[in-house]
Amino acid sequence: MLRRLYSPAAFDPNLPVGTYWSETVDETGGRFTPPDGALAVDFAVIGAGYTGLNAALRLSQKFSASVAVLDAGWPGWGASGRSGGFCCMGGARLSESQIERNHGLEEAQKFAMTQVESVAFVRELTELHDMEVEAHGNGEWALAHCPEALDDLRLEANALERYAGLQPAFYGPHALAEIGMAGPHFHGAAHIPVGFALNPARYVEGLTRAVLCSGVQIFGHSPVTGLSKEGNRYLLHLPKGVISAENLLIAVNGYGQDGPHDWFAGRHLPVLSNVMVTRALSPQEQEAQGWTAHEMAYDTRNLLHYFRLLPNGRFLFGMRGGTDAAPEKRQHMFERTRQHFDLMFPAWSDVEATHFWSGFVCMNRSLAPYIGAVGSLSRVWTAAGYHGNGIAMASWAGKALADFAAGYQQGIDRIPAVMQQVPKRFPLSALRLLYLKAAYCHYQWVDGKL
């Protein structure tokens, strides 16, 4: 049923992913098996990531519905378990000023405040369910990769104040060095006082536990191989068994790509993001580089780098790039990531990288998340398109998706208009990777040496 732009290996749960996070939790993949025979529920949720799990939790707890969650792998196998652990504002590539032009000032402010709310939502959820997610850091830091980028940061700061009432603080290179965020390519920074870092695998683990405790059934290794209708119910055909559901929620994001229904064809663009984690750095090594702060940071390049020092002294470094997810390209992606890391943090150029992995972030033509109906299908809804900032927004979107599916008008009214705008298909959608390659070439030229 699924048509994919990338190598099938990137979607195969039987192949190792290699994340550092998987070593910090009990291995849960084997716990979640396919259903044995037929099962009937009120809601079936395809996708056991942040969106699907939060939707299932909301449906069960708020609306007392019977829910089954299906995943081709297991909870967190896809993008949710591969992220860098940045719980922060974001989710769209549109600026608030663009949203204001299209939808008005009130809606632009509503979207900005939804981003703030989404971070608070995750924080409250982890505390409510006693999740040990290794939360740390205070807000996020946008580091200027060239002197000219400081002007752009000030414009963004003005926008954050106008639309969300936030007032970022600015730091020059010397001030950055004094707080332990030094580097030869950092020319200043803006501190955005919203967000925190976490261990995404522990967040998924905590979500999964809460979902199971609410009475939801979760089935792993259960790709949907067929979708049909019988009367007013949807039949989800699996390798083993069939699930019958009155309502269907599809929360596969970039890992579903052009399925499981024709409506999805050409509407999403999965983009590779690569993550490297080093061995633990000693205090002396941290001081040698001048980076001792445990804060979330990213730079202002179009093909941005994102990085942070983990609580145990390991350093995480991620970057966009690559248009081939075949296993034989893995070494090339690692070498490119390593090259960028060594240039940005030269004192650590000989430090061993113990883990490297890749995953898909999901973009669409509207450049904003979408929550809503799947075409003209009755009682089928989806949420997707978080543009690389999925922990907070995907979690909030899961709750909102449940409200949408349950017809809870008070919840639906909270969804910004830009997030209810149906994303159009990419023109000549089979050529999406060619678009991406051209964009990467352009951005690399604009961004300069790195």
Side-chain angles (χ1 to χ4, degrees), residues 240-398:
K240 295 182 180 180
V242 176
I243 289 184
S244 167
E246 185 177 350
N247 308 275
L248 177 60
L249 278 62
I250 301 173
V252 291
N253 208 29
Y255 279 81
Q257 200 167 307
D258 285 353
H261 186 272
D262 287 344
W263 180 87
F264 290 91
R267 295 187 193 271
H268 296 149
L269 176 57
V271 176
L272 279 170
S273 193
N274 309 300
V275 182
M276 182 186 91
V277 171
T278 72
R279 63 161 172 79
L281 298 161
S282 69
Q284 294 77 17
E285 287 173 317
Q286 295 173 32
E287 290 286 352
Q289 176 56 53
W291 192 283
T292 58
H294 293 264
E295 301 291 342
M296 300 186 299
Y298 66 92
D299 65 19
T300 52
R301 292 175 177 83
N302 292 284
L303 297 178
L304 62 82
H305 306 92
Y306 52 97
F307 36 91
R308 63 187 178 99
L309 188 62
L310 303 183
N312 62 5
R314 291 175 179 265
F315 197 81
L316 179 147
F317 181 84
M319 59 179 284
R320 302 283 189 267
T323 56
D324 192 336
E328 58 269 23
K329 299 296 183 179
R330 175 184 172 88
Q331 182 62 28
H332 172 73
M333 289 191 291
F334 168 70
E335 290 173 356
R336 186 165 175 269
T337 304
R338 182 78 213 206
Q339 179 187 30
H340 283 232
F341 172 81
D342 291 348
L343 286 168
M344 293 180 67
F345 300 96
W348 298 337
S349 60
D350 293 328
V351 171
E352 177 191 5
T354 58
H355 299 79
F356 176 79
W357 67 90
S358 300
F360 292 116
V361 302
C362 186
M363 305 182 71
N364 56 41
R365 268 190 77 189
S366 64
L367 301 179
Y370 172 63
I371 304 173
V374 174
S376 60
L377 291 177
S378 175
R379 305 185 317 282
V380 183
W381 298 269
T382 190
Y386 310 117
H387 298 83
N389 284 286
I391 291 181
M393 185 56 76
S395 298
W396 187 93

Side-chain angles (χ1 to χ4, degrees), residues 404-417:
F404 214 118
Y408 181 52
Q409 195 60 47
Q410 184 176 340
I412 296 170
D413 290 343
R414 295 179 66 87
I415 304 173

Side-chain angles (χ1 to χ4, degrees), residues 17 20 40 67 81 118 145 165 169 173 181 189 201 232 284 352 373 386 400-401 408 416 440:
V17 178
Y20 164 68
V67 185
S118 69
H145 77 286
M181 301 178 71
N232 292 325
Q284 294 77 17
E352 177 191 5
Y386 310 117
L401 178 63
Y408 181 52
Y440 282 168

Side-chain angles (χ1 to χ4, degrees), residues 36 76 82 95 123 125 147 174 180 195 207-208 222-223 229 236-237 317 360 362 369 382 406 408 413 427 433 441:
D36 185 12
R82 307 179 194 218
S95 68
R123 175 79 79 176
L125 192 66
H174 295 297
L207 267 178
T208 300
S222 299
K229 287 196 73 174
L236 285 71
H237 302 273
F317 181 84
F360 292 116
C362 186
T382 190
Y408 181 52
D413 290 343
L433 285 187
C441 289

Side-chain angles (χ1 to χ4, degrees), residues 30-375:
R31 291 175 50 203
F32 299 97
T33 57
D36 185 12
L39 174 68
V41 292
D42 297 327
F43 290 85
V45 180
I46 304 177
Y50 303 136
T51 300
L53 291 173
N54 272 288
L57 187 63
R58 178 77 165 177
L59 287 167
S60 178
Q61 293 189 337
K62 174 71 176 178
F63 305 108
S64 301
S66 61
V67 185
V69 179
L70 313 171
D71 199 279
W74 51 86
W77 175 82
S80 295
R82 307 179 194 218
S83 82
F86 285 49
C87 185
C88 57
M89 296 180 67
R93 292 286 290 176
L94 282 178
S95 68
E96 278 77 7
S97 61
Q98 290 173 306
I99 296 173
E100 181 180 357
R101 285 196 295 272
N102 296 334
H103 300 280
L105 175 60
E106 184 177 337
E107 282 295 332
Q109 291 173 328
K110 186 176 182 179
F111 179 71
M113 292 309 300
T114 295
Q115 295 179 61
V116 176
E117 182 184 336
S118 69
V119 174
F121 172 74
V122 174
R123 175 79 79 176
E124 292 166 4
L125 192 66
T126 59
E127 293 174 352
L128 177 65
H129 294 282
D130 296 321
M131 301 181 194
E132 298 291 339
V133 297
E134 299 175 357
H136 66 95
N138 175 30
E140 59 178 332
W141 296 73
L143 303 176
H145 77 286
C146 63
E148 295 77 13
L150 285 170
D151 294 333
D152 294 333
L153 284 179
R154 294 190 185 279
L155 290 175
E156 292 177 17
N158 291 337
L160 285 171
E161 183 173 5
R162 170 177 169 80
Y163 297 108
L166 300 175
Q167 294 184 323
F170 286 88
Y171 293 76
H174 295 297
L176 281 176
E178 289 176 358
I179 60 175
M181 301 178 71
H185 299 279
F186 306 143
H187 299 269
H191 175 237
I192 303 164
V194 176
F196 61 98
L198 54 71
N199 179 325
R202 289 196 171 183
Y203 177 40
V204 169
E205 183 180 57
L207 267 178
T208 300
R209 183 174 61 251
V211 167
L212 291 173
C213 288
S214 73
V216 172
Q217 299 181 76
I218 301 178
F219 299 104
H221 307 282
S222 299
V224 177
T225 57
L227 181 64
S228 62
K229 287 196 73 174
E230 186 177 83
N232 292 325
R233 300 184 70 83
Y234 287 95
L235 299 181
L236 285 71
H237 302 273
L238 311 173
K240 295 182 180 180
V242 176
I243 289 184
S244 167
E246 185 177 350
N247 308 275
L248 177 60
L249 278 62
I250 301 173
V252 291
N253 208 29
Y255 279 81
Q257 200 167 307
D258 285 353
H261 186 272
D262 287 344
W263 180 87
F264 290 91
R267 295 187 193 271
H268 296 149
L269 176 57
V271 176
L272 279 170
S273 193
N274 309 300
V275 182
M276 182 186 91
V277 171
T278 72
R279 63 161 172 79
L281 298 161
S282 69
Q284 294 77 17
E285 287 173 317
Q286 295 173 32
E287 290 286 352
Q289 176 56 53
W291 192 283
T292 58
H294 293 264
E295 301 291 342
M296 300 186 299
Y298 66 92
D299 65 19
T300 52
R301 292 175 177 83
N302 292 284
L303 297 178
L304 62 82
H305 306 92
Y306 52 97
F307 36 91
R308 63 187 178 99
L309 188 62
L310 303 183
N312 62 5
R314 291 175 179 265
F315 197 81
L316 179 147
F317 181 84
M319 59 179 284
R320 302 283 189 267
T323 56
D324 192 336
E328 58 269 23
K329 299 296 183 179
R330 175 184 172 88
Q331 182 62 28
H332 172 73
M333 289 191 291
F334 168 70
E335 290 173 356
R336 186 165 175 269
T337 304
R338 182 78 213 206
Q339 179 187 30
H340 283 232
F341 172 81
D342 291 348
L343 286 168
M344 293 180 67
F345 300 96
W348 298 337
S349 60
D350 293 328
V351 171
E352 177 191 5
T354 58
H355 299 79
F356 176 79
W357 67 90
S358 300
F360 292 116
V361 302
C362 186
M363 305 182 71
N364 56 41
R365 268 190 77 189
S366 64
L367 301 179
Y370 172 63
I371 304 173
V374 174

